[in-house]
Amino acid sequence: MAHFTPPYARIAAELRRRIAEGELAPGDRVPSTRQIAREWNVALATATKVLATLRQDGLVEARPRVGTVVAPRRQRPIPVGTRTGTPAAIETQTAAGTGADRELTRERIVRVAIGIADAEGLAALSMRGVAARLGAATMAAYRYVNSKDELVLLMADTVLGELQLPPDTPAHPPATPDAPYTPDTPAKAPADWRTRLELGARSLWQLHRAHPWLAQIGPLTRPLLLPNLLAYSEWMLSALDGHGLPPATVLNLNVLLYSHIQGLAIQWERETAAESSTGLTEDAWMAQQEETLASLTASGAYPTFTRLVGSLGTDGYDLHLDELFEIGLASVLDSLERLIGRRP
């Protein structure tokens, strides 16, 4: 009886061949799910499984605003299709590599996991995938990290540690979206509460932009007691404290500012995931909606929306998350200023 190979496996094998023979070089875009579906006449679900298989093998990676590309050669484990022998032997082959690759540490595991999550989101993260990037057996990674959940917490605390906010000494100019606080910035904290909150909020916003998955680590109702997250909250709470506000109000305002950042940051990861799965950039996707938009505005059912969109002219409307962040931050701080001004 002939052995049946699923369609996704046959397509993945062909793309592996193209990568191995150099037809697709590191950094080249691989066919999107829609392109795979068209070229091989398969369903989108099958095409999605093809890319997922290649990602698991470490042959491709998703890059924000670019799409799915061939991974650098140094990151690739032995592809599944080329491994031979028993499962134990396959694990041994996967672990083969340079001596440096075999020297696992918790820090290396966390850093590689952060790189995967930055490019592909938390959904693409697995202990197996991290171990493969390091050229190690999956079980070897479990000697340093007990589970994926623990790994995500370690990743979150590590990147939050990048928020090196200045100590409490007078007068430091606020950061801007294009120039956030960095460890090289002169270490002087702002003296007034509003400038301090602006600096803290913009620094956290930039951190979420660099690591979009950070917004997905847990709900607000179940706060994570991570040392570096508490250090950030301590810095923000010290700016909110001392203005005569009730303790519960101070805590609520800190959560409100955090949730404003987290809520917008979630959209960065969703856009990255959508672009990776469809192969369409944001502009390309919007271009595909033009016919639907024209039909809706012509229906007469949405007069306010139609008038506003029409008044934009040929420039149209571009949704910029940075602008939404600034509008929301200013609104919250203006309201807080009025609230503090009413206190005795």
Side-chain angles (χ1 to χ4, degrees):
M1 183 177 178
H3 175 70
F4 173 73
T5 303
Y8 85 88
R10 291 199 302 271
I11 300 168
E14 168 58 18
L15 291 176
R16 280 196 201 96
R17 182 196 64 76
R18 295 181 187 180
I19 293 170
E21 295 180 2
E23 291 180 31
L24 290 170
D28 286 351
R29 286 193 64 167
V30 299
S32 67
T33 50
R34 292 184 183 277
Q35 290 171 325
I36 291 172
R38 279 198 305 270
E39 184 176 344
W40 278 278
N41 194 28
V42 294
L44 284 175
T46 300
T48 300
K49 194 168 183 180
V50 170
L51 294 182
T53 300
L54 295 175
R55 275 197 296 269
Q56 264 194 336
D57 290 346
L59 292 173
V60 302
E61 61 185 21
R63 290 184 184 170
R65 306 287 178 182
V66 176
T68 303
V69 302
V70 179
R73 294 185 188 281
R74 59 180 174 78
Q75 295 182 357
R76 297 183 200 164
I78 299 172
V80 169
T82 64
R83 298 176 197 165
T84 57
T86 64
I90 290 174
E91 284 289 301
T92 301
Q93 292 175 52
T94 306
T98 66
D101 287 340
R102 291 195 296 270
E103 292 172 4
L104 287 183
T105 65
R106 175 179 280 197
E107 182 180 359
R108 289 190 69 213
I109 290 170
V110 170
R111 283 297 174 188
V112 168
I114 290 170
I116 293 173
D118 285 350
E120 303 178 53
L122 284 182
L125 182 67
S126 68
M127 294 293 286
R128 177 186 175 187
V130 171
R133 293 287 178 94
L134 289 167
T138 304
M139 293 311 297
Y142 279 107
R143 291 201 293 268
Y144 298 88
V145 180
N146 291 326
S147 65
K148 178 181 173 179
D149 289 341
E150 182 185 2
L151 177 59
V152 170
L153 294 181
L154 290 169
M155 292 160 56
D157 199 46
T158 297
V159 298
L160 285 163
E162 297 171 11
L163 277 173
Q164 302 201 13
L165 292 166
D168 291 323
T169 51
H172 175 70
T176 66
D178 295 326
Y181 175 80
T182 69
D184 296 327
T185 306
K188 291 185 178 180
D192 68 286
W193 65 265
R194 179 164 184 145
T195 306
R196 186 186 182 97
L197 291 177
E198 285 177 342
L199 172 58
R202 288 183 180 134
S203 295
L204 188 63
W205 173 240
Q206 290 298 322
L207 189 73
H208 276 80
R209 283 197 57 177
H211 309 287
W213 54 269
L214 188 59
Q216 304 279 8
I217 60 174
L220 287 173
T221 50
R222 301 186 182 193
L224 301 174
L225 301 180
L226 302 174
N228 286 318
L229 183 57
L230 284 175
Y232 172 79
S233 291
E234 174 69 21
W235 203 84
M236 297 292 279
L237 288 169
S238 65
L240 291 163
D241 193 25
H243 304 290
L245 300 173
T249 300
V250 171
L251 292 168
N252 283 338
L253 288 169
N254 180 49
V255 172
L256 180 63
L257 283 165
Y258 180 81
S259 66
H260 170 56
I261 296 165
Q262 184 188 51
L264 287 177
I266 285 173
Q267 305 309 316
W268 286 110
E269 185 173 41
R270 288 181 176 175
E271 170 58 28
T272 299
E275 190 168 313
S276 176
S277 64
T278 65
L280 295 173
T281 64
E282 181 183 346
D283 290 339
W285 185 87
M286 287 300 298
Q288 288 192 352
Q289 312 308 310
E290 288 180 359
E291 187 176 335
T292 302
L293 177 62
S295 174
L296 290 171
T297 53
S299 70
Y302 315 100
T304 305
F305 175 76
T306 301
R307 177 177 56 80
L308 291 172
V309 171
S311 67
L312 295 171
T314 56
D315 291 339
Y317 171 66
D318 290 323
L319 190 153
H320 297 294
L321 293 180
D322 281 323
E323 289 181 9
L324 292 181
F325 165 75
E326 289 295 335
I327 292 169
L329 178 61
S331 299
V332 172
L333 296 182
D334 286 347
S335 299
L336 180 54
E337 202 158 78
R338 289 192 294 271
L339 180 62
I340 291 175
R342 290 200 299 267
R343 305 302 300 175

